[in-house]
Amino acid sequence: ARMASLGLDHAGDWLNVIPSPVLGLHIRPQEFRYSVLYRIGAPVFPTTGPCPACTKPSDVFGDHAIVCGSHGERIARHNQLRDAIYQVAASSNLAPRKEENALLPGTSARPADVLIPHWSGGRDTGVDVTVVSPLLTDRLDMSVTTPGHTLTVAFNDKCRDYLAACESEGITFLPLPVETLGAWHKKAAEQLRKLARAQARSTGKEEDESIRHLFQRLSVLLVKGNAALLLNRIPSFPLPPVDGDL
């Protein structure tokens, strides 16, 4: 399942980055080490044990840690990706709005991490970022046989939740799922390339350069967000023996 996900487009963009703190393309040595271990499926932690954040059992490969919702690292990872997409839309003079309220009257739902006016066929468009792991137990079988299965499920789940409600308000809804191993859903990648091309037209850069830089920037942010989850969830002591095992 891991190899299938790593074979998808953009899963390794961060490995091709020329480090540049000024451009936000920089990964600290400890972040890099943990990110490589997680990527190749080597043990990330020396032992199993309770997760320091939620106290649930944690595995040595970081599969629990990478999706643990306790504390704020998972939200921070999402917000970093959202903010980067917002910044690209803003630098493209698209007048984006972040976490817009009251898009769906009568509800408190915020289906758009970033709302871009007149983006899709002249309609306001809400894009919504979500990070998913293809390595959870209930997804492994399909992740092996169908690379990108988790992305498809996440895309469809988001559409089921918000698509009809947004359409009724004249808003185009576009989920942007990305796997913890780096691959984006095909439709998400199309929108990101479209944004990068808009930025290139606005700034005078080459389109290919803008597209490459955007995917590398997002890839680095994802890896750094993953590393924060892993580094803050190193099990401090092993789980107790079960059924008398020593």
Side-chain angles (χ1 to χ4, degrees):
R2 188 182 307 273
M3 294 303 296
S5 287
L6 292 177
L8 297 173
D9 290 343
H10 304 294
D13 284 355
W14 62 280
L15 292 169
N16 297 317
V17 169
I18 298 174
S20 173
V22 173
L23 297 176
L25 300 176
H26 180 258
I27 302 172
R28 294 186 293 109
Q30 194 174 30
E31 293 173 332
F32 188 88
R33 176 177 178 271
Y34 273 71
S35 298
V36 170
L37 291 174
Y38 175 69
R39 177 180 172 84
I40 66 176
V44 176
F45 306 132
T47 181
T48 59
C51 171
C54 68
T55 72
K56 293 180 181 178
S58 183
D59 58 281
V60 296
F61 299 104
D63 292 330
H64 164 78
I66 211 77
V67 297
C68 178
S70 296
H71 301 171
E73 297 93 344
R74 198 169 78 177
I75 294 174
R77 178 180 62 186
H78 166 274
N79 289 348
Q80 289 288 325
L81 295 171
R82 175 203 64 194
D83 290 350
I85 292 169
Y86 172 84
Q87 290 162 9
V88 170
S91 68
S92 305
N93 298 316
L94 297 175
R97 302 196 293 274
K98 192 189 307 182
E99 299 285 356
E100 185 79 358
N101 290 318
L103 287 180
L104 304 179
T107 78
S108 59
R110 294 184 180 182
D113 286 326
V114 180
L115 184 73
I116 307 175
H118 318 302
W119 180 242
S120 300
R123 290 169 44 140
D124 292 356
T125 301
V127 297
D128 187 76
V129 177
T130 183
V131 184
V132 293
S133 171
L135 302 178
L136 298 184
T137 304
D138 61 342
R139 301 170 184 169
L140 279 178
D141 288 347
M142 289 301 296
S143 293
V144 170
T145 58
T146 310
H149 167 75
T150 300
L151 293 172
T152 301
V153 171
F155 186 92
N156 292 340
D157 285 349
K158 285 285 186 178
C159 287
R160 184 175 59 248
D161 291 340
Y162 298 118
L163 181 61
C166 286
E167 288 288 337
S168 68
E169 297 299 321
I171 298 170
T172 298
F173 177 69
L174 292 171
L176 304 182
V178 59
E179 288 188 348
T180 53
L181 288 167
W184 291 86
H185 188 276
K186 288 184 178 180
K187 290 187 177 180
E190 289 174 4
Q191 290 302 311
L192 293 173
R193 284 191 290 269
K194 182 180 175 182
L195 269 175
R197 285 193 291 268
Q199 185 186 46
R201 290 193 297 270
S202 179
T203 60
K205 294 182 179 179
E206 293 291 332
E207 285 191 0
D208 288 347
E209 179 186 354
S210 291
I211 292 171
R212 182 175 64 255
H213 181 264
L214 175 57
F215 278 106
Q216 288 182 344
R217 171 74 171 140
L218 294 173
S219 186
V220 168
L221 290 173
L222 177 66
V223 163
K224 291 174 74 70
N226 289 345
L229 284 157
L230 296 171
L231 287 165
N232 291 332
R233 284 162 178 76
I234 302 172
S236 54
F237 54 91
L239 293 170
V242 178
D243 296 334
D245 293 339
L246 297 178

